[in-house]
Amino acid sequence: MKTWGKLSLGMLLAVGLMTGCGTNNNDDNKTAASNGNAGSETAAKTLTLGTSAEFPPYEFHKMIDGKDTIVGFDIEIAKDIAADMGAELVIRDLPFDSLLNELSSGRVDIVISGLSYTPKRAEAVGLSDVYFKAEQAVVVREADKDKFATMDALKNTKIGIQTGSIQEDIAKEIEGAKLTSLTKMTEIVMQLQSNRVDASIMEGPVAESFVKNVKGLVITDAKPVVEDDGYVIGVKKGNTELLDQVNTTLKRLTADGKIEEYVSAASDLSISK
């Protein structure tokens, strides 16, 4: 498969602006052809997924056969859940920090978006079994790789971070750090390239995708430490029937080695031409 090497940030942002990533509801990304509501007792159901499609290789926008499409290994998992339910999958592309509110309000049925388990989240919504684990990473400009090679080196620096993320919690613990909390990852990358922040903390796979696609960014040797049991899927609190279905699908995908296949394929897709 051909790769496209390093993209300029301008090209990356152009794609984001064209698709309205993270700000508009993208309800046109659907699979199957049925109607109804998730959890209904009729044969025809709709499963509405809430995600923030700017985290390659988890979920991101890609032009497929000339059409803007939300893809990624989280999306493949969502498709399997919907298929096991005999449901149509409807994807809503939303800001990350609004996902759990949308879930609690019933406007989406499940949330899959590189969502880490935390006790606070477990109090608010139902959380599935863990389906994937990843380390955290520190991303900086290429010239600063050695300068910020440890977490101690990030003291008293300016850090760009995603609002409402577990990485924001990590950054808050760094002594003297001044945080710039933003909704979109592309905005954080722009802050890095324009020298407005010194570094960003991202999930490992997300960081790897950005440094492959955006010229001038690298991952340092700094190792953020976080008590993270892995990534989970959210459902509305009390919806045990849907949660059981989600866990059943996850167990099947794990046993069949499908999640690893999805991760590999999505990683390749995120850097392909």
Side-chain angles (χ1 to χ4, degrees):
M1 180 178 293
K2 293 183 179 179
T3 60
W4 41 317
K6 303 284 185 176
L7 283 181
S8 69
L9 182 63
M11 292 176 65
L12 186 67
L13 288 177
V15 173
L17 289 172
M18 178 183 69
T19 58
C21 179
T23 56
N24 291 326
N25 295 345
N26 193 334
D27 293 330
D28 294 330
N29 286 271
K30 301 181 179 181
T31 61
S34 54
N35 301 296
N37 296 311
S40 70
E41 296 181 359
T42 61
K45 302 177 183 178
T46 297
L47 181 71
T48 302
L49 165 67
T51 193
S52 184
E54 54 167 348
F55 302 101
Y58 293 84
E59 42 272 320
F60 55 103
H61 286 267
K62 188 80 173 179
M63 295 301 293
I64 305 292
D65 297 327
K67 181 180 179 181
D68 170 47
T69 308
I70 295 177
V71 296
F73 73 83
D74 276 350
I75 304 304
E76 295 305 310
I77 292 171
K79 289 178 181 178
D80 277 306
I81 294 170
D84 287 350
M85 294 174 61
E88 173 191 10
L89 180 66
V90 177
I91 303 174
R92 293 190 64 201
D93 185 10
L94 302 162
F96 183 82
D97 59 353
S98 73
L99 289 173
L100 296 189
N101 286 336
E102 293 291 299
L103 184 63
S104 295
S105 70
R107 286 187 286 269
V108 300
D109 299 309
I110 60 174
V111 164
I112 312 179
S113 197
L115 187 70
S116 300
Y117 174 91
T118 68
K120 183 177 180 180
R121 287 173 179 166
E123 290 177 3
V125 300
L127 298 176
S128 73
D129 297 334
V130 171
Y131 67 90
F132 186 72
K133 291 186 178 182
E135 295 182 349
Q136 307 299 316
V138 175
V139 178
V140 300
R141 293 177 293 277
E142 198 167 16
D144 293 334
K145 182 176 181 180
D146 294 334
K147 181 179 179 180
F148 299 119
T150 67
M151 293 304 293
D152 280 344
L154 293 176
K155 292 179 180 178
N156 303 309
T157 59
K158 293 177 288 185
I159 300 177
I161 212 72
Q162 187 186 39
T163 304
S165 67
I166 195 170
Q167 292 78 32
E168 186 177 43
D169 293 335
I170 297 171
K172 286 178 179 178
E173 298 299 318
I174 298 174
E175 182 181 332
K178 182 179 179 181
L179 306 191
T180 298
S181 297
L182 300 167
T183 299
K184 297 181 181 180
M185 294 299 295
T186 47
E187 291 176 349
I188 293 170
V189 170
M190 185 168 65
Q191 293 278 318
L192 264 175
Q193 285 206 318
S194 60
N195 296 301
R196 295 175 196 169
V197 299
D198 301 307
S200 179
I201 302 172
M202 305 179 186
E203 292 170 353
V206 175
E208 289 171 6
S209 182
F210 273 112
V211 301
K212 288 175 181 176
N213 286 300
V214 181
K215 185 177 181 180
L217 298 184
V218 295
I219 296 173
T220 76
D221 292 331
K223 301 296 182 185
V225 177
V226 60
E227 293 184 5
D228 181 8
D229 293 327
Y231 302 126
V232 293
I233 296 170
V235 305
K236 189 173 183 179
K237 196 75 172 179
N239 193 343
T240 56
E241 181 180 356
L242 180 55
L243 185 60
D244 288 345
Q245 177 61 68
V246 168
N247 283 330
T248 296
T249 299
L250 290 178
K251 287 177 183 177
R252 174 177 64 79
L253 295 177
T254 300
D256 293 345
K258 297 298 292 184
I259 292 179
E260 291 181 2
E261 290 181 21
Y262 292 161
V263 172
S264 178
S267 296
D268 289 343
L269 184 61
S270 72
I271 59 171
S272 67
K273 182 177 279 188

Coordinates of all heavy atoms in Angstrom, one line a residue, residues 20 24 52 80 97 108-109 111 145 152 155 171 184 189-190 198 210 217 220 223 228 235 267:
G20 N -16.3 19.2 8.6 CA -16.9 19.7 9.8 C -16.6 18.8 11.0 O -17.5 18.6 11.8
N24 N -20.1 19.4 13.7 CA -21.4 19.1 13.1 C -21.7 17.6 13.3 O -20.9 16.7 13.4 CB -21.4 19.3 11.6 CG -21.2 20.8 11.3 OD1 -21.8 21.6 12.0 ND2 -20.6 21.1 10.2
S52 N -16.1 11.0 18.4 CA -15.4 12.2 18.0 C -14.3 11.8 16.9 O -13.3 11.4 17.3 CB -14.7 12.9 19.2 OG -14.1 14.1 18.8
D80 N -19.8 -4.1 14.1 CA -20.0 -5.5 14.6 C -21.1 -5.5 15.6 O -22.0 -6.5 15.6 CB -18.7 -6.1 15.1 CG -17.8 -6.7 14.0 OD1 -18.3 -7.5 13.2 OD2 -16.7 -6.3 13.9
D97 N -15.8 16.2 24.5 CA -16.3 16.5 25.8 C -17.8 16.5 26.0 O -18.3 16.7 27.0 CB -15.7 17.8 26.3 CG -16.0 19.0 25.4 OD1 -16.6 18.8 24.4 OD2 -15.7 20.2 25.8
V108 N -27.6 9.6 22.0 CA -26.9 8.5 21.3 C -27.0 7.3 22.2 O -27.3 7.4 23.4 CB -25.4 8.9 21.1 CG1 -25.2 10.1 20.3 CG2 -24.7 9.0 22.5
D109 N -26.8 6.1 21.6 CA -27.0 4.8 22.3 C -25.7 4.3 22.9 O -25.8 3.7 24.0 CB -27.6 3.8 21.4 CG -29.0 4.2 20.8 OD1 -29.8 4.6 21.6 OD2 -29.2 4.2 19.6
V111 N -21.2 5.1 23.1 CA -20.1 6.0 22.8 C -18.9 5.1 22.7 O -18.5 4.3 23.6 CB -19.9 7.0 24.0 CG1 -18.5 7.6 23.9 CG2 -20.9 8.1 23.9
K145 N 12.8 17.5 20.6 CA 12.7 16.1 21.1 C 13.6 15.8 22.3 O 13.1 15.2 23.3 CB 13.0 15.2 19.9 CG 12.9 13.7 20.3 CD 13.2 12.8 19.1 CE 13.0 11.3 19.6 NZ 13.2 10.4 18.5
D152 N 9.7 15.3 33.8 CA 10.2 16.4 34.6 C 10.5 17.6 33.8 O 10.4 18.8 34.2 CB 11.5 16.0 35.4 CG 11.1 15.2 36.7 OD1 10.0 15.2 37.1 OD2 12.0 14.5 37.2
K155 N 7.9 20.4 33.3 CA 7.5 21.4 34.3 C 7.6 22.8 33.8 O 8.6 23.2 33.1 CB 8.4 21.2 35.6 CG 8.2 19.9 36.3 CD 9.2 19.8 37.5 CE 9.0 18.5 38.2 NZ 9.9 18.3 39.4
A171 N -1.9 16.2 32.5 CA -1.2 17.5 32.4 C -1.4 18.3 33.6 O -0.5 19.1 34.0 CB -1.7 18.2 31.1
K184 N -10.6 20.2 19.7 CA -10.2 19.5 18.5 C -8.7 19.2 18.6 O -7.9 20.1 18.9 CB -10.5 20.3 17.3 CG -11.9 20.5 17.0 CD -12.1 21.2 15.7 CE -13.6 21.5 15.5 NZ -13.8 22.3 14.2
V189 N -2.6 20.5 17.4 CA -1.5 20.3 16.5 C -1.0 21.7 16.0 O 0.2 22.0 15.9 CB -1.8 19.3 15.4 CG1 -0.7 19.3 14.3 CG2 -2.0 17.9 16.0
M190 N -2.0 22.5 15.6 CA -1.7 23.8 15.1 C -1.0 24.7 16.2 O -0.1 25.4 15.9 CB -3.0 24.5 14.6 CG -2.8 25.8 14.0 SD -4.2 26.5 13.1 CE -5.3 26.7 14.5
D198 N 4.3 24.1 24.0 CA 5.6 23.4 23.9 C 5.4 21.9 23.6 O 6.3 21.3 23.0 CB 6.4 23.6 25.2 CG 6.6 25.0 25.6 OD1 7.2 25.7 24.7 OD2 6.3 25.4 26.7
F210 N -0.5 11.2 14.1 CA -0.2 12.6 13.8 C 1.2 12.8 13.4 O 1.5 13.6 12.4 CB -0.6 13.5 15.0 CG -2.0 13.9 15.0 CD1 -2.9 13.4 16.0 CD2 -2.5 14.7 14.0 CE1 -4.2 13.8 16.0 CE2 -3.8 15.1 14.0 CZ -4.7 14.6 15.0
L217 N 6.6 17.1 13.6 CA 6.3 16.6 14.9 C 6.9 15.3 15.2 O 7.1 14.5 14.3 CB 4.8 16.5 15.1 CG 3.9 17.8 14.9 CD1 2.5 17.5 15.2 CD2 4.4 18.9 15.8
T220 N 8.5 12.1 22.0 CA 9.7 12.1 22.8 C 9.8 10.8 23.6 O 8.9 10.0 23.5 CB 9.7 13.3 23.8 OG1 8.8 13.0 24.8 CG2 9.2 14.6 23.1
K223 N 7.6 9.4 29.3 CA 6.5 8.4 29.5 C 5.5 8.9 30.5 O 5.7 8.7 31.7 CB 7.2 7.1 29.9 CG 8.2 6.5 29.0 CD 7.6 6.2 27.6 CE 8.6 5.6 26.7 NZ 8.0 5.3 25.3
D228 N -4.6 3.6 34.1 CA -5.5 3.4 33.0 C -5.7 1.9 32.7 O -4.8 1.2 32.3 CB -5.0 4.1 31.7 CG -6.0 4.0 30.6 OD1 -7.1 3.6 30.8 OD2 -5.6 4.4 29.4
V235 N -22.5 3.1 27.5 CA -23.9 3.0 27.2 C -24.6 3.8 28.4 O -24.0 4.1 29.4 CB -24.4 1.5 27.2 CG1 -23.7 0.7 26.2 CG2 -24.4 0.9 28.6
S267 N -4.7 1.6 11.2 CA -3.4 2.3 11.2 C -2.8 2.5 9.8 O -2.3 3.6 9.5 CB -2.4 1.6 12.1 OG -2.8 1.5 13.4

